[in-house]
Every structure is written in C-alpha cells, then in structure tokens.
Amino acid sequence: MNKLLEDKKRPFFWLFLLNIILILGILFSLVFLFINQEKLFDSQVNRYNSYRLGDALRQSDDFLTEYCKNFIITKDSIWEEKYWDLVALREGKLIPEERGWSQSILDSMYQMGFSKQEFALLKEALEKSNQLIKKETQAFNAAKGIFLDSTHQYTIQGEPDMDKALQVLYDNEYLYTKKEVMEPIVKFESLIESRTQSTVEKNRESGERLLVTIFIAVAVSIILSLVTYYMIVKRLIQKEQLSNQLQSRNKEQACLYKISQLTENTPKDIDHILEVAVSIIPYGWHDTEKTCCRITFKENTYTSIHFAESKWKQEASIYDGKNAVGQIEVFYNDLSLDLKSGPFLKEEQELVETIASLISNFNERKSYLENLRESNENLKQEIEAKEKTELALIEKEQQLQFALDVSNEGIWEIYQDSDVINFSERCYSILGFTSDSADLDQEVFWKDLIVDGDQNKVLINRINEIKTSGLHDSIYRLKTKNGQYKWIHTKGKAVAFSDKNVPLRIVGTMSDITERMKQEEKIVDAILETEDKERSRIAREIHDGLQQTMSTSLMSFEKVRSTVDFEETKINERFQMGYQYLKKAIEESRTLAHNLMPKIVNDNGIVAAIESLLTALQPSSNTEFNFDQNIHENRLKLAVEMTLYRITQEALNNVIKYANASKCNIQLLKHSDVLLLTIDDDGEGFVVEEKIKTFGINSMRTRAESIGAYFEINSQLQRGTQILIELPLE
C-alpha cells in the first residue's frame, strides 16, 4: 500500500521539481540578461568616450593654430599661455577638470582598451600634431624676434618678423601636415564605430535569446502549473469516488456480516432466516431508500417494507444441492433514471449471489443435520451394545491411570514411522501445563522449556537416537509454567519390533525427581559444609599452632643472628640457609591456611574474596584482570560463595599457567531468577574435546553441579576461553 502511495506521489514530485528548475532557470536568465544589458551599456559609453577623445584631439589642433595666430596678430601673452596650457594638457602635464576630464588625454587613451590598430592610429595622429607644434613654435619665436641657429636652437636675437611668422602658418607644408593629422583620426573613429557596432549586435542578439528563453520557460512553467492543477483536481475526484466506493463496500460488508451471523444460528428454521434476511438485504445497496427485496423459497414468498417491482432488478437463485428451490430479487424503484446499464453496481450483483449462496449453504446444512439426527438414532442402539465392552476397557484404563498417578509418572510413545511423541496428560501436568498447550507445535513447546546445557539430554531432541537403539534413559531439567525448574527423569524401551528387529514402538515414562535431586543436593551441601568446617579447623590449627611455633623459632633465629658472629663461613651459610627455609615455611603455611579456608569469604562475602584474590594475583602476572559485579554487599549461602570462589580460583590459576592472555574479565551478575558467573580471557585457547576430562575442568564441573548450577566451558585455539556458571535462584 505504501509503495502504491509513493507511486501516486511521484508524478507530483517530478512536476514540482521541474517547476522549481524552470523558475531557477528564469532567475538565472534574468541575471544573464542584466549582465548582457550592462555590457551593451558599457559598449555605448566606450563608443561615446572614444568619439569624445578623438574630438578632443581634433579640437586641440585647431585651438593651438588659433592661439598661435592670435598671438602673432595681437602680441598678447595670454594667447601664448593658453597655447602652452593646451600643449601641457595633451602631454599629460595638465588635467582640464573644469571641462569634465578626470585625467589627461594621453592617460585616457591608455585606459580606453583600444586595439593595437586603433592605438597606432591615435599615436600617429599625435606624432603629426607634434610636428605642427614645432612649426607653431617657430612662428611664436619669429613674432618675438628669435630665430634658429645652425644647431636648430632658438638663440639668434633680431627684429620681430610678423610676415615670416604668418608665412610659417600658411605655407603648404603646415597645411599638409594638418591634413595628415585628421586622416588617422577619421580612420580611428571608423574602426571604433565598426567594433562598437559589432559588440552591440552581439549583445543585442544574446539579449534577445535570453528573452526568448525566459518567455519559453514562463510558458512551460504555466503549462506545468495547469497540468499539476488538473492532476490535483483529478486526484481529488478519484478520492471522492474511492470514498463513495468504500462507503458502498462497508454497507455491503455489514449486510453480508449480518446474513452470515444469521445463517450460523442453525437451531432456527429456514422461514425465520428468510423473514429476517429480506429486511436486511436492502441496507446493503448504495441507495437503500429506493431499494426493496423479494425472496421466494419453494411455495413461500417474503418481501421487504414498501416493496414494489420495477424494470431495474438483480436476482440470484437459492439451491438445494443442484436443484434451484428459491430466488432472491432486488429491485430499484427510481424510474426517473435513464441508464443503459442500470443503477446497480457490479459488486452488488456479487453481493446478492453471495447472500443466495449463504442461504443455500444454511439450507443444505439444515437438511444434513436432520439426516444426521436420524442416523444418530440408528447408531444409538449400536453404541449401547458396545458400551458394556467399553466399560470393561475403561475400568482397566482407570486402574492403569491410578497406578501412574500413584507413581507420579507420565507415559510417552514413539512410533518408527512418525516424528511426533505422544505424551499423556500427566507429562504436561508435571510441569503445570495441559495437553492443549502443545496443540500448535509440539516441538516448539518442549524446546522452549529446555534449560541451557541440557539440550542433548532432553527426550524431544533424541527421537532419532531412540528410534535406532530402542532404549532411552536420561535426567535433565525443564522449566515449569510458573518459571521454576524441575528435574525430570525419562526412560523407555521398545515394545514392538519388525521382522528385521527394528524398533517399531517405544514406550516410556516421565517422572518428576525434583525432590530426590534436592535431597541429593542437601547431602552434597552437608558434605561440602563438613569439608569446609574441616578445612577451617585445619587452617586454624596451622595458624594457631604451627605458625606460632615457627614464628617463635624465627624470633630466636633473629636474636642469635644479631648477637652471634660466626667465624666459620660454612657454619654461617648453614645458619642463613636454615633461617631462610624457616621464613619460607612460615609464608607457605600462611598460604596453605588461606587456601584451605579463605577467611575473607566467611567474613566479607564472595565479592570481597574475588577482589582480594585479583589484588594478590595481579602483581605477579602479565594478565590484566577486570571484575564486574552487581551483588555488592549482598550475601549468598556460604556453601555457594565458597564453591564459586574455588571455581574462580581454579580458573584464574589456569589462565596464569596456560592461557598466556593479555586480558581476563570476570563477571558476577545477579538477575531475578539466575546468578551468572563468567570468566573469559583472550589467550591461546584449546580444543575442548581434548581437555574436557582433565582434573581441573572436572573439579570445576563437579563443584558447580554440587550446588545445582549449570557449568559450561567454551574455547578455540587463538580465540581465548570462556567459563559459564549458571545458578538458578529460588
């Protein structure tokens, strides 16, 4: 369903995403259009400044000629000052800020970005203009009476010669040079016009393309919006249609449910069923108020309220076996409709056929029950004849059951051609269950009750072995209904064999031996308690007797050692050897007394004892020991604490001697129904099958089982070793 909804949402997602992409495209196009217009504006400004620069150069030549003529004619120095100011302006020595220039004409030429050809024309015009300045300088000096010497320097003084000055300005050479100045300027302006026009055309075409792109994107976005709107409206219409269809299906289901409930009540007769059904059926059609129903069954007819026939009709037959014995007719009374296919839905035709089928089934079932009742009467006499025989059999079974109840045992059976074990009710009641508990899956039921470690012992897991050998005898634990554990003893043997001596039927018993195991545990506890008391007594004897004697001897040795000076080296060596052996004997006796009965277990509990043990072992070992626990100061039975301590002590000694481990983790965790002790290391490991019968492992297993705990050891080469002790808490 979720996949279907995702498929329906996907077109909207892609339309929305495409619309977003188009809007982003429009925005980017507008940005590019703005940049295009800026370039177009810059090209126009560049053309204007280029014309302005060329015009300034042209006017400067005209002004220089005019200023020179005015000076020659008027002899007024102001015209000479204006002349040289204008020359300074052209050479970049003066900036005419009052005319709107922010830099010299020469600097403007460098910053306008002209091409090499354009700049060459401007330079050519300036060089020609500088030739005119030389002529005009000669005219200025002639008007002042200063003339050129042989070295072309103005050093010769004389009378001012106005005619010569004017002759310089009007001779053919001057006029021809002035004409040459204008030719590169005209060519420059032509090149500027051509280049600027090309840039303008290029930017204009680019702008037009961007505008067309924007218009197309806007048009497509509008079309997508219209398509999205159409799809949303279509989807809303579909949802409304689905809602109407769902409402119709609900009415049909409600009608069908009422009819099915009615036909399930078999004690009622067919007439009652049909009277009620004819009033229910109209409520299952989409237009209930305009729908009516008629049911004919054999010679009887049943109609709904306000019944009236019309041309709009749906019908289905009621059968008794293969013969039609009745009919259901549904009419639609709104004759104002002009529909070719009729006002009924396809599902409503299926509904009337289903109702007819339910009534047919009820009628057949009713007939079958009546026939069955007659058959029962015939069988009753036969049954009474067999009752006497069965009474005798029941009496024998009761005697057998009584014997089993007295012995508190259940019976089980295994057949060679079946993988199912037949358990008696007593097998279930031993654990607080009933046989109904295993109706769904027998194997799952029994395996859920198995305690970890007993999987290979349980009857349900040894079916193939029992079929082969014909014998079974095993003791294990199972979990009861209230969560406790019971010791179970199952045993059996084959009672039927094939011609080839293959067991065909194996019969056995299941017994609750929990009390017997508890008594055995009490005996073991008593033995362990006696053993601990004897250990404690021996430890006290060593501490109070032997250690005191040796300590007194050591003090005497100390006194002799401090007062006597041995002259012979050999005697001194013997004395020192005896002294050291005595100290070592005292230390070993102290260790022996502690190992026999660690006082810290009795005084402070298992947690403090393990912590003390780790503190003692850590300095002499390269293994890092970590201890986690949640018992804290809570105490267990002394026998349990002592057993767990002995197992931990044995395991840690093995880690130090054989594992060559870098880390060892000890966890003592108490849960609601079980106490867990785990010891795992990252050492070299070993093959469990080769070491399982060694003294150390057997000793730990025996100690664990003595307090009713489950013992398990797992190890792999180069993968470390893990020991698990699981003690059920009652």
Side-chain angles (χ1 to χ4, degrees), residues 337-427:
L337 294 176
D338 186 15
L339 300 173
K340 293 182 180 180
S341 59
F344 295 113
L345 302 176
K346 178 183 177 182
E347 291 79 6
E348 291 172 342
Q349 178 61 39
E350 296 175 355
L351 176 62
V352 71
E353 292 174 356
T354 304
I355 294 172
S357 177
L358 288 173
I359 296 175
S360 299
N361 292 337
F362 173 80
N363 181 55
E364 292 176 1
R365 189 165 63 249
K366 193 72 174 177
S367 300
Y368 171 77
L369 291 175
E370 291 176 357
N371 295 331
L372 183 62
R373 192 177 296 110
E374 294 177 1
S375 300
N376 288 339
E377 291 295 331
N378 296 330
L379 291 173
K380 186 175 182 180
Q381 296 177 355
E382 297 179 9
I383 293 173
E384 290 176 354
K386 295 180 181 179
E387 284 182 352
K388 294 181 180 180
T389 305
E390 291 179 353
L391 286 174
L393 182 60
I394 291 172
E395 184 177 356
K396 294 294 183 181
E397 289 179 351
Q398 288 177 346
Q399 292 175 357
L400 177 60
Q401 186 63 42
F402 178 74
L404 293 174
D405 291 341
V406 170
S407 64
N408 194 28
E409 293 182 347
I411 301 296
W412 53 266
E413 289 180 312
I414 298 176
Y415 291 90
Q416 188 64 240
D417 57 353
S418 174
D419 291 331
V420 177
I421 303 177
N422 299 320
F423 290 96
S424 69
E425 186 66 30
R426 183 61 186 162
C427 294

Side-chain angles (χ1 to χ4, degrees), residues 453-718:
D454 290 349
Q455 289 89 344
N456 297 329
K457 301 177 182 179
V458 180
L459 175 64
I460 196 72
N461 288 335
R462 302 181 67 178
I463 294 178
N464 294 330
E465 177 186 339
I466 295 171
K467 285 182 179 181
T468 302
S469 65
L471 295 173
H472 171 70
D473 192 348
S474 183
I475 296 175
Y476 47 87
R477 291 173 295 169
L478 291 178
K479 187 163 58 176
T480 64
K481 187 175 182 179
N482 58 13
Q484 297 180 345
Y485 296 94
K486 281 191 175 183
W487 285 97
I488 301 299
H489 182 199
T490 52
K491 61 181 179 179
K493 66 178 182 178
V495 295
F497 296 87
S498 68
D499 297 338
K500 296 181 180 180
N501 203 29
V502 175
L504 298 179
R505 181 185 177 208
I506 302 95
V507 179
T509 61
M510 175 184 287
S511 306
D512 179 6
I513 60 171
T514 305
E515 292 301 324
R516 190 182 83 187
M517 296 298 292
K518 287 184 178 179
Q519 292 300 324
E520 292 179 359
E521 287 180 10
K522 288 181 180 179
I523 294 172
V524 174
D525 287 344
I527 294 172
L528 290 175
E529 186 176 356
T530 303
E531 180 184 343
D532 288 337
K533 288 181 179 179
E534 184 64 17
R535 287 173 177 270
S536 180
R537 185 189 67 78
I538 295 172
R540 284 196 302 271
E541 290 292 335
I542 293 173
H543 181 270
D544 298 338
L546 180 61
Q547 283 190 6
Q548 298 299 326
T549 301
M550 288 191 294
S551 297
T552 303
S553 300
L554 183 64
M555 292 174 62
S556 299
F557 266 88
E558 287 286 353
K559 188 172 182 181
V560 171
R561 184 183 180 189
S562 61
T563 57
V564 176
D565 187 12
F566 297 100
E567 295 179 357
E568 295 185 16
T569 305
K570 190 172 183 179
I571 296 176
N572 183 42
E573 289 177 353
R574 289 181 178 178
F575 177 83
Q576 294 295 336
M577 183 183 296
Y579 174 76
Q580 294 298 329
Y581 275 123
L582 181 59
K583 287 183 66 177
K584 186 176 181 180
I586 292 174
E587 292 177 359
E588 289 182 352
S589 66
R590 186 180 296 113
T591 302
L592 178 62
H594 177 75
N595 289 336
L596 282 172
M597 188 63 186
K599 188 177 180 182
I600 191 171
V601 177
N602 188 33
D603 294 342
N604 300 323
I606 181 65
V607 174
I610 293 177
E611 290 176 345
S612 176
L613 178 62
L614 295 177
T615 303
L617 293 175
Q618 189 64 74
S620 60
S621 173
N622 294 326
T623 303
E624 178 185 348
F625 294 99
N626 298 310
F627 180 43
D628 295 324
Q629 52 86 22
N630 64 355
I631 296 179
H632 305 297
E633 297 180 358
N634 296 327
R635 296 296 302 271
L636 306 171
K637 289 183 181 179
L638 181 59
V640 172
E641 290 185 331
M642 187 61 66
T643 300
L644 296 178
Y645 178 80
R646 295 293 184 195
I647 293 173
T648 304
Q649 190 178 40
E650 176 69 21
L652 296 183
N653 285 335
N654 290 338
V655 171
I656 294 173
K657 289 180 181 179
Y658 309 114
N660 193 24
S662 60
K663 287 186 179 180
C664 179
N665 298 319
I666 303 98
Q667 290 187 330
L668 182 62
L669 303 175
K670 184 178 181 182
H671 301 283
S672 60
D673 59 346
V674 69
L675 179 70
L676 295 177
L677 171 63
T678 58
I679 304 167
D680 59 271
D681 63 71
D682 60 355
E684 297 178 355
F686 57 90
V687 179
V688 176
E689 290 75 12
E690 297 177 358
K691 305 289 184 180
I692 194 67
K693 294 183 179 180
T694 59
F695 177 79
I697 294 178
N698 278 332
S699 174
M700 290 188 285
R701 185 187 302 278
T702 302
R703 288 182 181 276
E705 291 178 351
S706 70
I707 58 174
Y710 165 69
F711 175 86
E712 181 180 343
I713 183 167
N714 297 302
S715 182
Q716 292 183 10
L717 293 176
Q718 307 304 323

Side-chain angles (χ1 to χ4, degrees), residues 23 89 97 122 147 166 389 437 562 675 696 708 718 724:
I23 292 173
L89 175 86
E97 296 181 358
L122 285 177
F147 301 98
L166 291 174
T389 305
S437 305
S562 61
L675 179 70
Q718 307 304 323
L724 171 65

Side-chain angles (χ1 to χ4, degrees), residues 269-276 297 300 302:
D269 56 22
I270 187 66
D271 292 330
H272 173 77
I273 298 297
L274 296 177
E275 286 176 359
V276 178
F297 184 77
N300 300 324
Y302 309 89

